[in-house]
Amino acid sequence: MGLDSLSPVAPARVRCLLLPYGRITRSRFLKCAERLRPEVTVRLGDISPNGGSDRNMFSPLAFPDGIVVYDLTTASTTPLHRSLAPFELYRENLAVIAVADGREYSDKVEDGVEGRNSALCEFQQLSGGAARLKDSYPSAFVHEVFVFDWAPRDTQLPQGLVAVPPKDISNTTTMKTIMCDMTSKLLAEMTTFAISVQALPNLEVPRPSRADAATGDGIGRGTSRGELASRPGSRSTNTPEFRAGSPANESDRHIHRASLPAHPTTLNSKLANEHGRPRSAADDTKTPPVTFDDMNELSERPNTTSATESTGKLARDRVSVHGFGSGSLGERARNQAKSRIGVVIGSMHLLAGRWSDALKELVESVAAAKSNSDYAWYAKALDYLLVTILMYAWAGKDVEIPSVLYPFGDKSALIATKASKQAGVGPADTGDVSSESTVSRANTLQDLCALLPDLTNNILHLYSRAAQFSSTPVPQVVFSDTIIRLTKLLSLIHNCHGSLTGDALRFIVLNESSAKEPALPEEVTPSLSKADISTILYRGLPSSSSEESVDILDRLSILAGMASVLSSLGLHRKKAFILRELLSSLLPALIQSRKQSAAEQGVHPAASLSTFDFAGSEVGVGGVLGKHGGMDPGIQNFLMVLCKVYGANLTKSSFASPGVKSYGIDESSRDVEDWTGSVARTALANATKRAFGNSVLKLDILRSCINTCEALPDLRGVLRFSSDLLCTAGSGIAPGPGTTDSSPSIPMEDQARLVNNIMRTVSAAKQLGFENLEAEYWDEFLLRDVEILSHNSMDSPLARHKSELKLAANIKEKNEGPFIYNPFARPGTSIKDTLLIADEEVTFVVLLQNLYDFELEVEWIRFDVDENLLHAKAQNIVIGAYRTQQVHILATPKADGQLRIDSCIAKIKGCRAKHFPLFRSQWRMKDELKVKRHGLAAAMIPKERPVSVSSDPGKSKTPASLGVPAASSFEARIIKSQPTVVLKSTSLSQSAIMVLEGERRRFTMTLQNHSKTAVDLLLLSVSDSSAEALQAHINNNDLTPAELYEAEVDAYHRPGLSILPHSQGEELKIPANGTLTVGLEIFGKHGLMQATVVAEYGYLGVPRDEVEDKFHTRRITIPFSVTVSPSAGLVHNDFLPFTGDFAWSNQMRNRQQGSTATKKIEDTTRPEQRFQRLLNRLGLGSQGDDHCLVILDFFNNWSSPLSLSLQVRSQLPQTSSEEDGWKRAYSVHETLQPGCTTRVIVLLPRLVLKEPHTSVPSMRNKRQFVVSASKISPDFERLSRELFWYREEAFKYMRATWQDVRSSRTGDLDLRRLSVTPRMLDTLKLDEVGIDMALLPCRDDPELPSEDNDRNSGLRQRSRTHFTVSASSFFNLTTTLTSRLPHPIYPLLRLQPALRNQPYNVALDLSKKLAFNGVLQRPLPLLQPGEKRDVSTGVVFLAAGEYDFGACVEEVRVWRDKKPNERAKSRPRAGTGELRAEDLIRTDRRTWFAREACSVDVTLRGEEA
């Protein structure tokens, strides 16, 4: 529940103890505790101050950005840890929360007045009992009682109880507010304690011993945490487990906690250590004095042992040295006490979340402790400073690293410069944390990562120096915990490549790990290697000499922390040695605990567990051994991790839980192939681990695990590891004839001892009430063969229902897609030709093996089949030692149906019932010829490359190459007479076919009925390997509608395998001894590797409508291996604009020739003739004026040249026949060379769609919807729909095929890879409002032809938009507007003349060069959809030059379609579709520009153009 107690920032967490209170179950207590977990961080800015001005030392208003982090735990601190206060105050339970269940009392409140009074009475008892919390936990600052899920609002809880409303009626700030109120009280109480600490004369470093911890005395003989927060009266140092069951007595209620400590004695605080403890030999072994103060201290030490004389002399010495300079003994003692108290106050600021004050206090204390050579407190202050900076970084605040953190003051600048070379920032010059220059958080973390190795060595060096002086040594637990916390930080930095990321900081503070990989900085490498970190870590390993001062729990915690660091570094072997040391320390303690428990029970420690009287204990059997006979799962996980490193974790199956059948399998939902393959893989995994590592060492580890579980006691662990030991010692093979090396590797006596131990444990478990607690059998190869004495051959039918027949008929009528459920398309299983007759007894021969040197007693064995189908069971079978033995089992089929025996279920004495698959073949794990794995990876199953799916499955070497034992099966059928259909022949030479991508190949298969019973029900279904990928792709909810449509087109319109229509119609039949030929078609597509035809057939005897509830069918599965080779594909495309001058030129030439006849464009392969013929037809007949160039790049992936035929048609056919529209299509032929890319350029008419914003259709069932995963804007949706519909429209104008030059292979070339971008869309589609401009002369003489008028005005048309005229002539500039919009518009025409190729200011200066008859900007009448309107403007050119006329049409106001309210009389709808359509309607005014400007070259009369 709690956070990591050995985290690098553990000193910054407030330890909060959670206790069950009143009537509350374990499950409810855990649920209530889970509600507190998200609120472990409390921001100071959210807290209201509590108390007056004398209790505001830790006021949250001083640093509102600070955060108080709680460490919720259910474990109380040990006396050893409590004695470390105030040196390490964070180890104390500073807050206690008693959790009560409000549901236990809310029911009474609702019962009436009597129930409410009863509930109030119980609450009064709880409130009175809450006062005992302060007596049981006097060192805690805050004691709260939370009543969770207290719903009644009219009943107010007594004082001292905090109501927590249920989760469903609570808001997001309910729990946060409660935690803020508790934190406010905590900060106020911390002020009282801080004042008490400041009033002390001095603080000493605690020196723990187990004797002190046992008596509850302070570790340091100095001021302990209990003394500072003591109560008057009797004080219990030990912390009993608190659970309120009755109200506290009246005498306890009036006891209040003292706010201040007892006044110190009159002795000098410097000598308080000598008077606080007896003189020891260590006092005479101090290091020689190094300063004058030390010499004075040594000379003034009392020489007599008399307490009176020592007191008097010390008093005189105190008077004689007070006030005589800064180097006097008193001044030194006062400075030392001030620095130590400052460290404690700084740690309290750190706990209170006021990191700025903590930084200031600790910086000052570091300097003072360093000047006084107070090594232990100096190191502890450095440790707290490091934690403070980490908390700053976690909160995202900028902080500057104080210079006191650097190991050597004179080299701090050099170290900081080296650490922040990349950032360009140096260290602080002074320890002042309020410097004006702020350092960024990233640079601070970078400097800290570079500084941390030296800082770690400095802290550890200071602790080592402190250990040399008997007056200030540090306890071993403090030294070891500090090393573990620092190495955890170093390992985290090493794993982050030498940096501290945000995810790493969240992990060390809140244990929150990120799912994604952190973004690691470049060019940053860890400063310490794994070996260096492990070397530092091993310094914290408690030695044998420190066992007296290190409690067993602390030793286990230290070893577990070291194992965690080594695990994070990937040093699993070193971790294994630490775990083994942990196990060796744990085992004696467990044995001693069991001896004490046996002594309390009055039995011998070696007695069986069944003699223990758990019924009289407080928690009962379930509380001691767990729910299923095991202890805490964490202990088993620890043992499994230890075994995993040594390769001794073999057993994979889990134990059967109570309430499950005896054999532990739910037959209604089991998958035979899944668990059979699982057992086979388990056998291979066990064999791989058996060959890994040292077998002697593994056996020793397993024996230690067994001894540990026996000492706990853990019955489940005893059975598990005993089974693992037998499995590890066994050979783990399936021997064949002549095999001689399959005996176990342990002696016969050890095997017998293990088996007897299993039997005794199972017997003890049953006596304790654990009926289902049994061992896991240790050999997977129990069942070696199953045969039948007499059998017949036949195909096996399947049982069907009438509803399935109707469903299959409905699916066929609707012609649904390939992914709709088809009950007759389920994959079949391999079936042997074995026939069993109902109610006829048959004898099975079962071969069982036992490779151990003891007899195996099988209580019962039966086949894993339905007992209503086949009843077969044998009991009381004894298998001799080290042999294979045949067992005869009599069986009787009970009903018609399918029989398949893949395994048997056997119950071995002492073991739970287990499935044993059938392994007929001899098997032994093959040795690796090449060693490619080392370390722990060698214990894993090697991976092999997959075998090609086109290879023969019967010749596949996958099981042999991987070493997985191949499971076998015995199959038979119990049915009535049914027809038998086989595949007679196919038009393919083999059951394989090779096609090119896009190629269609047809073939036939012939089915023959071998029986005398006709087949009147035959359903054919097909499937291919590409269907699975398409199904997964279509089911992806993140697909856009266009992507989903592409997948549906590939699935529905281009199936890999399809059945051709038959002459018999839908109902296919095969007469007795007759044949039926079925046509199939293969389409080469990407991902098609395997195609299967499933024929479901049977004999009904009646029409399908009159079929009874059940009938039988048989299935024949015909697989085809398909190899699809790539042919030609579209790799790139582009759309480019194309000028309309060619169409204009053709129209002018045709007008001059006076002929408008059109001819069919002939196909040609010569490029120079191809474009010439095409360009000569543009603008004539059905050819439009506007075209675009389509560039298509095709790549030939085939090994031979392919002939490409690309057809483009100018318009869509008016008839329903698709081929009629391609008769006048323009064809392009190219030869694609192998491995080359060929570019093809064609002309495509520009397109226009009336409704380009229609929603993208879906081909699936209307009940199946695709929900977009993200919201998109209407503009983006409008653009995406236009891209989709114009792309689909372009496909209607183009198609392509290919043909192999060297053979007759032909196929379709997939053009759906064509992509359309917004730029291409602008080229492909016609403008919504077309703007064309032309210059026409004024008709001077209407009787003259237009040519004469043009000649008189000097007008010559060079191209469609390029004209040459003479100056001083009148012309009409005609602008033609063509509306292609579906609705009318209000246009405003703007003409924009300008001089060509001139600067902007010159180009628009037309006052003396050009004159107009009218205005250049004019509104026009309403332009209807499809209307074409000419607008003329008189113009005269006054000067020669080159002119350009541009034009644009602006929408004056948006057209609003006023439709009558057709739904006024109908029921109002939600209008979802209308809302979406309204979103796509553009509400802004649009502007359309002319694509081509009208260019006019003006010359003077008489000059040649």
Side-chain angles (χ1 to χ4, degrees):
M1 174 179 291
L3 302 176
D4 184 11
S5 61
L6 296 177
S7 171
V9 296
R13 297 171 179 165
V14 177
R15 187 179 174 91
C16 181
L17 179 63
L18 301 182
L19 298 174
Y21 191 64
R23 294 181 300 174
I24 183 172
T25 61
R26 176 181 175 85
S27 60
R28 285 287 302 151
F29 174 74
L30 295 178
K31 290 182 180 179
C32 296
E34 284 297 326
R35 290 192 62 184
L36 293 173
R37 182 182 296 275
E39 308 300 335
V40 295
T41 57
V42 179
R43 184 176 175 271
L44 296 183
D46 300 334
I47 303 174
S48 300
N50 189 348
S53 59
D54 57 338
R55 293 164 61 90
N56 60 356
M57 178 181 292
F58 300 96
S59 173
L61 301 179
F63 189 64
D65 293 335
I67 299 175
V68 178
V69 182
Y70 286 96
D71 182 9
L72 304 180
T73 179
T74 57
S76 179
T77 56
T78 61
L80 187 64
H81 285 190
R82 289 197 300 271
S83 61
L84 295 177
F87 186 71
E88 288 186 344
L89 187 61
Y90 67 93
R91 296 180 182 271
E92 289 269 11
N93 289 325
L94 302 182
V96 178
I97 299 178
V99 179
D101 188 6
R103 294 183 180 180
E104 297 289 338
Y105 312 99
S106 59
D107 296 338
K108 293 184 178 181
V109 175
E110 298 176 356
D111 291 342
V113 179
E114 297 181 358
R116 180 175 301 178
N117 295 334
S118 177
L120 290 177
C121 182
E122 293 187 9
F123 279 132
Q124 291 294 339
Q125 295 178 358
L126 292 179
S127 178
R132 295 192 302 167
L133 285 173
K134 299 180 181 180
D135 297 334
S136 301
Y137 302 95
S139 60
F141 292 135
V142 178
H143 305 79
E144 295 287 344
V145 179
F146 289 173
V147 182
F148 281 82
D149 296 346
W150 176 247
R153 299 181 179 180
D154 54 348
T155 302
Q156 187 176 3
L157 296 178
Q159 185 178 3
L161 303 183
V162 179
V164 180
K167 195 172 184 179
D168 53 350
I169 63 174
S170 300
N171 52 31
T172 57
T173 60
T174 300
M175 291 303 303
K176 185 179 292 295
T177 303
I178 294 175
M179 294 299 294
C180 288
D181 295 341
M182 188 187 74
T183 307
S184 179
K185 298 179 182 179
L186 174 68
L187 298 180
E189 293 296 330
M190 289 178 66
T191 301
T192 305
F193 178 74
I195 296 175
S196 304
V197 172
Q198 291 176 345
L200 293 175
N202 197 359
L203 295 175
E204 295 295 336
V205 177
R207 288 178 291 176
S209 65
R210 286 193 286 184
D212 296 335
T215 59
D217 194 8
I219 273 182
R221 276 95 167 174
T223 306
S224 66
R225 173 74 178 94
E227 297 175 12
L228 296 175
S230 60
R231 292 173 178 269
S234 81
R235 174 181 176 272
S236 176
T237 306
N238 296 327
T239 307
E241 183 178 0
F242 182 81
R243 187 182 182 96
S246 60
N249 52 33
E250 295 297 329
S251 61
D252 293 338
R253 295 182 182 180
H254 297 286
I255 298 177
H256 302 283
R257 181 164 65 95
S259 59
L260 292 176
H263 291 286
T265 61
T266 58
L267 298 179
N268 193 308
S269 60
K270 178 69 179 67
L271 303 177
N273 185 33
E274 281 73 4
H275 288 267
R277 60 176 177 84
R279 181 178 181 85
S280 62
D283 295 336
D284 298 331
T285 60
K286 295 183 179 180
T287 56
V290 294
T291 62
F292 289 104
D293 294 334
D294 295 339
M295 296 176 64
N296 294 333
E297 178 185 356
L298 183 63
S299 62
E300 295 171 0
R301 180 177 297 175
N303 297 325
T304 63
T305 58
S306 173
T308 304
E309 294 178 1
S310 299
T311 303
K313 189 174 182 179
L314 290 173
R316 290 192 302 269
D317 293 340
R318 180 188 61 184
V319 174
S320 63
V321 298
H322 266 295
F324 289 91
S326 60
S328 63
L329 181 62
E331 182 67 20
R332 180 185 177 89
R334 285 192 295 271
N335 292 336
Q336 186 184 64
K338 181 179 179 181
S339 65
R340 293 181 176 183
I341 293 175
V343 173
V344 175
I345 298 300
S347 66
M348 295 183 66
H349 279 296
L350 181 61
L351 291 171
R354 294 180 51 168
W355 305 322
S356 58
D357 297 332
L359 195 64
K360 181 179 180 181
E361 288 285 347
L362 293 174
V363 168
E364 296 176 355
S365 301
V366 165
K370 182 178 180 180
S371 62
N372 293 324
S373 300
D374 197 357
Y375 301 118
W377 292 89
Y378 180 19
K380 179 54 64 178
L382 291 178
D383 188 7
Y384 286 154
L385 269 178
L386 174 61
V387 176
T388 305
I389 295 176
L390 290 176
M391 297 301 292
Y392 261 109
W394 166 69
K397 305 297 181 181
D398 294 338
V399 63
E400 185 178 2
I401 299 179
S403 60
V404 296
L405 278 183
Y406 295 96
F408 306 100
D410 54 347
K411 297 183 180 181
S412 60
L414 179 61
I415 296 175
T417 303
K418 179 180 178 181
S420 58
K421 181 182 294 183
Q422 298 179 356
V425 180
D429 295 333
T430 63
D432 188 7
V433 298
S434 61
S435 177
E436 296 179 356
S437 60
T438 60
V439 182
S440 66
R441 174 173 172 265
N443 294 337
T444 301
L445 291 178
Q446 185 179 356
D447 296 343
L448 183 62
C449 294
L451 171 66
L452 190 58
D454 295 334
L455 180 60
T456 301
N457 292 330
N458 189 24
I459 293 175
L460 300 183
H461 174 70
L462 292 175
Y463 278 139
S464 300
R465 291 290 303 273
Q468 299 175 3
F469 297 90
S470 59
S471 60
T472 58
V474 293
Q476 179 65 34
V477 63
V478 176
F479 183 69
S480 299
D481 287 358
T482 303
I483 290 178
I484 293 174
R485 292 193 299 104
L486 294 175
T487 51
K488 276 190 176 182
L489 185 58
L490 289 173
S491 64
L492 187 62
I493 295 176
H494 181 276
N495 294 334
C496 293
H497 292 235
S499 65
L500 273 176
T501 61
D503 293 337
L505 291 172
R506 285 191 295 271
F507 176 74
I508 62 177
V509 176
L510 299 177
N511 285 12
E512 294 180 356
S513 58
S514 177
K516 62 180 181 179
E517 293 291 336
L520 301 179
E522 299 180 357
E523 300 181 359
V524 178
T525 56
S527 57
L528 290 181
S529 62
K530 294 182 180 180
D532 297 335
I533 299 176
S534 62
T535 302
I536 298 175
L537 180 65
Y538 276 121
R539 294 177 60 183
L541 184 65
S543 60
S544 58
S545 60
S546 61
E547 291 184 356
E548 295 183 358
S549 61
V550 179
D551 188 73
I552 181 62
L553 296 179
D554 292 328
R555 183 177 180 84
L556 296 178
S557 177
I558 292 171
L559 293 176
M562 295 178 66
S564 175
V565 176
L566 294 174
S567 178
S568 64
L569 293 174
L571 304 176
H572 299 288
R573 292 186 180 274
K574 292 185 178 181
K575 179 187 70 173
F577 288 115
I578 295 296
L579 293 180
R580 191 176 182 185
E581 180 69 19
L582 192 153
L583 187 61
S584 62
S585 301
L586 177 63
L587 187 57
L590 293 176
I591 295 176
Q592 181 65 24
S593 176
R594 184 172 181 179
K595 289 180 180 179
Q596 295 177 359
S597 177
E600 294 175 359
Q601 297 289 336
V603 297
H604 193 272
S608 174
L609 287 174
S610 60
T611 59
F612 284 83
D613 184 15
F614 293 106
S617 62
E618 182 179 352
V619 294
V621 178
V624 177
L625 293 177
K627 186 177 180 180
H628 304 306
M631 291 295 288
D632 189 353
I635 299 178
Q636 284 196 7
N637 293 336
F638 154 67
L639 296 178
M640 291 306 300
V641 169
L642 178 61
C643 294
K644 182 179 180 180
V645 177
Y646 288 95
N649 56 329
L650 300 180
T651 305
K652 297 296 183 181
S653 302
S654 60
F655 289 91
S657 300
V660 186
K661 294 184 179 181
S662 60
Y663 47 88
I665 296 293
D666 185 6
E667 294 183 352
S668 61
S669 59
R670 64 182 178 85
D671 192 339
V672 177
E673 295 182 358
D674 287 348
W675 62 255
T676 300
S678 176
V679 173
R681 290 189 295 270
T682 300
L684 176 61
N686 289 345
T688 304
K689 295 176 182 178
R690 192 179 290 108
F692 168 77
N694 191 324
S695 60
V696 178
L697 189 59
K698 289 189 289 186
L699 296 177
D700 187 19
I701 288 295
L702 289 173
R703 291 190 183 96
S704 300
C705 292
I706 294 174
N707 295 334
T708 303
C709 294
E710 288 179 346
L712 282 174
D714 183 5
L715 304 183
R716 181 183 297 274
V718 172
L719 297 176
R720 181 185 185 91
F721 293 111
S722 298
S723 178
D724 284 351
L725 182 55
L726 286 173
C727 185
T728 303
S731 59
I733 65 174
T739 304
T740 59
D741 56 346
S742 58
S743 58
S745 59
I746 58 177
M748 183 186 305
E749 293 78 9
D750 291 348
Q751 299 178 41
R753 188 180 303 109
L754 287 172
V755 173
N756 293 334
N757 189 22
I758 291 175
M759 300 301 175
R760 289 196 304 269
T761 305
V762 171
S763 177
K766 290 182 178 180
Q767 295 182 18
L768 293 174
F770 301 105
E771 297 292 338
N772 296 304
L773 186 60
E774 293 173 316
E776 180 86 6
Y777 187 66
W778 41 86
D779 186 9
E780 291 83 4
F781 300 100
L782 176 67
L783 182 61
R784 295 305 308 277
D785 198 3
V786 175
E787 294 292 341
I788 193 171
L789 294 181
S790 59
H791 60 275
N792 297 324
S793 300
M794 66 170 299
D795 295 333
S796 56
L798 300 174
R800 296 299 186 185
H801 297 275
K802 183 179 180 180
S803 59
E804 293 178 328
L805 183 60
K806 293 182 178 180
L807 180 60
N810 294 335
I811 291 174
K812 192 171 186 64
E813 290 176 0
K814 293 180 181 180
N815 193 18
E816 298 287 358
F819 303 141
I820 304 299
Y821 170 73
N822 185 357
F824 293 92
R826 291 178 294 185
T829 56
S830 58
I831 301 171
K832 288 186 177 181
D833 297 332
T834 302
L835 174 64
L836 298 181
I837 309 301
D839 299 329
E840 182 176 336
E841 190 176 68
V842 64
T843 302
F844 288 90
V845 179
V846 179
L847 187 63
L848 305 177
Q849 86 168 18
N850 177 22
L851 300 182
Y852 291 85
D853 296 327
F854 52 84
E855 291 185 349
L856 196 65
E857 183 177 350
V858 181
E859 295 183 0
W860 54 264
I861 183 174
R862 69 176 183 86
F863 293 127
D864 184 20
V865 295
D866 188 2
E867 294 184 357
N868 296 326
L869 183 65
L870 181 69
H871 178 72
K873 187 174 182 179
Q875 298 179 351
N876 299 327
I877 301 173
V878 178
I879 305 175
Y882 197 72
R883 69 185 61 188
T884 56
Q885 182 174 325
Q886 288 185 353
V887 177
H888 287 191
I889 300 178
L890 298 178
T892 302
K894 295 295 185 180
D896 301 342
Q898 177 184 358
L899 176 65
R900 173 171 175 168
I901 302 176
D902 295 279
S903 64
C904 69
I905 303 175
K907 175 68 173 66
I908 288 79
K909 187 176 182 180
C911 302
R912 71 181 184 92
K914 182 180 178 181
H915 281 281
F916 293 95
L918 176 58
F919 295 102
R920 286 196 179 96
S921 304
Q922 178 181 356
W923 181 83
R924 178 193 300 271
M925 190 187 70
K926 293 185 178 181
D927 298 332
E928 293 188 62
L929 299 179
K930 296 182 180 179
V931 179
K932 299 182 180 180
R933 297 170 294 120
H934 60 278
L936 294 181
M940 306 302 294
I941 301 177
K943 296 181 179 180
E944 291 280 339
R945 293 181 298 177
V947 179
S948 175
V949 296
S950 60
S951 60
D952 188 1
K955 299 181 180 179
S956 176
K957 297 182 179 180
T958 303
S961 60
L962 293 178
V964 180
S968 305
S969 63
F970 174 83
E971 300 175 0
R973 305 302 300 172
I974 310 173
I975 62 167
K976 297 179 181 180
S977 176
Q978 285 287 319
T980 302
V981 176
V982 297
L983 176 64
K984 181 180 180 181
S985 62
T986 63
S987 60
L988 303 175
S989 58
Q990 297 179 355
S991 296
I993 185 173
M994 194 281 290
V995 294
L996 295 179
E997 190 172 354
E999 181 183 6
R1000 296 181 183 272
R1001 293 280 298 275
R1002 293 187 176 185
F1003 63 96
T1004 60
M1005 66 176 185
T1006 302
L1007 303 177
Q1008 185 176 8
N1009 185 2
H1010 280 296
S1011 64
K1012 297 181 180 180
T1013 304
V1015 176
D1016 57 0
L1017 174 64
L1018 178 60
L1019 297 176
L1020 298 177
S1021 60
V1022 295
S1023 62
D1024 58 84
S1025 56
S1026 63
E1028 298 179 359
L1030 289 175
Q1031 181 180 7
H1033 192 60
I1034 288 180
N1035 292 335
N1036 185 7
N1037 294 332
D1038 296 332
L1039 293 179
T1040 62
E1043 293 173 343
L1044 179 61
Y1045 181 83
E1046 287 297 323
E1048 291 175 347
V1049 168
D1050 196 10
Y1052 295 112
H1053 291 179
R1054 298 187 298 176
L1057 179 62
S1058 58
I1059 302 175
L1060 300 177
H1062 197 269
S1063 59
Q1064 293 186 9
E1066 296 183 358
E1067 296 185 0
L1068 302 179
K1069 298 180 180 180
I1070 305 178
N1073 299 322
T1075 59
L1076 175 66
T1077 302
V1078 181
L1080 302 171
E1081 184 181 66
I1082 285 285
F1083 174 71
K1085 59 188 297 187
H1086 180 70
L1088 179 60
M1089 296 179 291
Q1090 191 79 17
T1092 304
V1093 179
V1094 179
E1096 198 84 15
Y1097 64 94
Y1099 176 71
L1100 301 178
V1102 294
R1104 298 187 181 183
D1105 297 337
E1106 301 177 4
V1107 175
E1108 298 179 355
D1109 293 340
K1110 292 184 180 180
F1111 61 97
H1112 291 86
T1113 63
R1114 286 181 179 171
R1115 176 186 301 162
I1116 176 173
T1117 303
I1118 307 170
F1120 297 97
S1121 296
V1122 183
T1123 301
V1124 180
S1125 299
S1127 56
L1130 179 64
V1131 295
H1132 179 260
N1133 68 277
D1134 198 359
F1135 291 83
L1136 299 178
F1138 186 72
T1139 180
D1141 292 340
F1142 290 97
W1144 171 83
S1145 178
N1146 294 336
Q1147 292 173 357
M1148 296 298 296
R1149 184 176 61 254
N1150 190 46
R1151 188 184 309 167
Q1152 293 174 1
Q1153 295 176 358
S1155 173
T1156 57
T1158 59
K1159 299 180 180 180
K1160 178 183 177 181
I1161 302 176
E1162 300 178 358
D1163 296 343
T1164 180
T1165 58
R1166 298 178 59 184
E1168 63 275 8
Q1169 297 180 3
R1170 177 197 316 152
F1171 283 96
Q1172 181 179 0
R1173 292 176 180 273
L1174 176 62
L1175 296 178
N1176 290 338
R1177 307 305 300 172
L1178 293 179
L1180 303 179
S1182 61
Q1183 300 286 335
D1185 295 344
D1186 291 331
H1187 291 76
C1188 63
L1189 283 178
V1190 182
I1191 300 177
L1192 303 174
D1193 293 340
F1194 298 97
F1195 184 79
N1196 184 7
N1197 294 281
W1198 185 233
S1199 58
S1200 62
L1202 296 178
S1203 176
L1204 171 66
S1205 177
L1206 178 62
Q1207 291 182 295
V1208 181
R1209 54 186 177 183
S1210 59
Q1211 61 182 1
L1212 298 180
Q1214 301 298 329
T1215 61
S1216 59
S1217 178
E1218 181 67 19
E1219 292 299 329
D1220 292 343
W1222 295 103
K1223 291 181 179 180
R1224 297 182 54 84
Y1226 166 64
S1227 299
V1228 176
H1229 301 281
E1230 285 286 353
T1231 300
L1232 308 180
Q1233 298 298 330
C1236 297
T1237 301
T1238 303
R1239 173 163 290 184
V1240 178
I1241 302 177
V1242 296
L1243 286 175
L1244 183 68
R1246 295 180 64 192
L1247 308 176
V1248 60
L1249 296 177
K1250 294 182 179 180
E1251 296 181 357
H1253 301 146
T1254 307
S1255 60
V1256 179
S1258 177
M1259 300 181 184
R1260 293 190 295 176
N1261 195 314
K1262 294 183 179 180
R1263 291 180 178 268
Q1264 300 177 357
F1265 298 95
V1266 178
V1267 181
S1268 179
S1270 60
K1271 296 183 179 179
I1272 58 178
S1273 62
D1275 293 337
F1276 183 81
E1277 178 68 18
R1278 187 185 304 110
L1279 177 60
S1280 63
R1281 291 188 181 184
E1282 285 187 7
L1283 292 173
F1284 171 80
W1285 284 114
Y1286 276 98
R1287 178 173 175 268
E1288 291 298 319
E1289 188 69 14
F1291 289 148
K1292 299 178 182 179
Y1293 288 83
M1294 296 184 297
R1295 72 176 182 180
T1297 58
W1298 57 262
Q1299 181 178 3
D1300 191 351
V1301 177
R1302 300 177 183 176
S1303 63
S1304 59
R1305 292 178 178 270
T1306 61
D1308 299 331
L1309 197 147
D1310 187 13
L1311 293 180
R1312 298 200 68 87
R1313 300 179 184 176
L1314 183 138
S1315 61
V1316 179
T1317 62
R1319 179 189 62 81
M1320 300 178 188
L1321 177 64
D1322 186 63
T1323 303
L1324 178 61
K1325 72 174 184 178
L1326 289 171
D1327 293 335
E1328 294 176 340
V1329 177
I1331 306 175
D1332 298 323
M1333 290 185 294
L1335 193 64
L1336 301 176
C1338 291
R1339 305 300 181 184
D1340 297 337
D1341 190 356
E1343 297 181 358
L1344 291 177
S1346 60
E1347 292 80 0
D1348 297 337
N1349 285 325
D1350 294 346
R1351 189 179 304 110
N1352 295 334
S1353 61
L1355 176 63
R1356 293 183 182 181
Q1357 187 171 1
R1358 303 293 186 181
S1359 64
R1360 188 173 67 169
T1361 59
H1362 191 188
F1363 300 89
T1364 302
V1365 300
S1366 298
S1368 302
S1369 297
F1370 291 91
F1371 301 93
N1372 286 330
L1373 181 61
T1374 303
T1375 305
T1376 303
L1377 304 182
T1378 305
S1379 175
R1380 303 184 181 93
L1381 292 170
H1383 55 81
I1385 61 171
Y1386 298 93
L1388 174 67
L1389 176 62
R1390 298 177 187 269
L1391 298 180
Q1392 302 167 350
L1395 292 177
R1396 195 188 315 159
N1397 303 326
Q1398 295 296 329
Y1400 181 78
N1401 55 348
V1402 178
L1404 298 180
D1405 187 10
L1406 303 173
S1407 59
K1408 297 181 180 181
K1409 299 180 179 62
L1410 194 63
F1412 292 94
N1413 183 13
V1415 294
L1416 298 180
Q1417 174 178 317
R1418 68 177 71 176
L1420 301 178
L1422 188 67
L1423 186 63
Q1424 298 294 334
E1427 181 182 354
K1428 191 172 185 180
R1429 179 180 301 173
D1430 294 336
V1431 180
S1432 297
T1433 303
V1435 60
V1436 60
F1437 297 94
L1438 304 178
E1442 297 178 350
Y1443 299 85
D1444 282 343
F1445 288 88
C1448 68
V1449 174
E1450 183 177 351
E1451 194 174 11
V1452 177
R1453 58 190 178 95
V1454 180
W1455 171 263
R1456 299 294 183 182
D1457 189 9
K1458 300 179 180 179
K1459 294 183 179 181
N1461 190 5
E1462 299 177 356
R1463 299 183 180 180
K1465 300 181 180 180
S1466 61
R1467 182 175 61 90
R1469 307 288 295 180
T1472 304
E1474 287 77 6
L1475 287 176
R1476 193 56 186 166
E1478 291 177 1
D1479 292 340
L1480 296 180
I1481 295 177
R1482 300 194 59 164
T1483 59
D1484 56 336
R1485 296 185 297 112
R1486 292 167 289 178
T1487 303
W1488 298 273
F1489 295 89
R1491 285 182 174 266
E1492 294 183 85
C1494 181
S1495 301
V1496 181
D1497 298 337
V1498 181
T1499 60
L1500 298 177
R1501 289 184 180 273
E1503 294 184 359
E1504 295 182 359

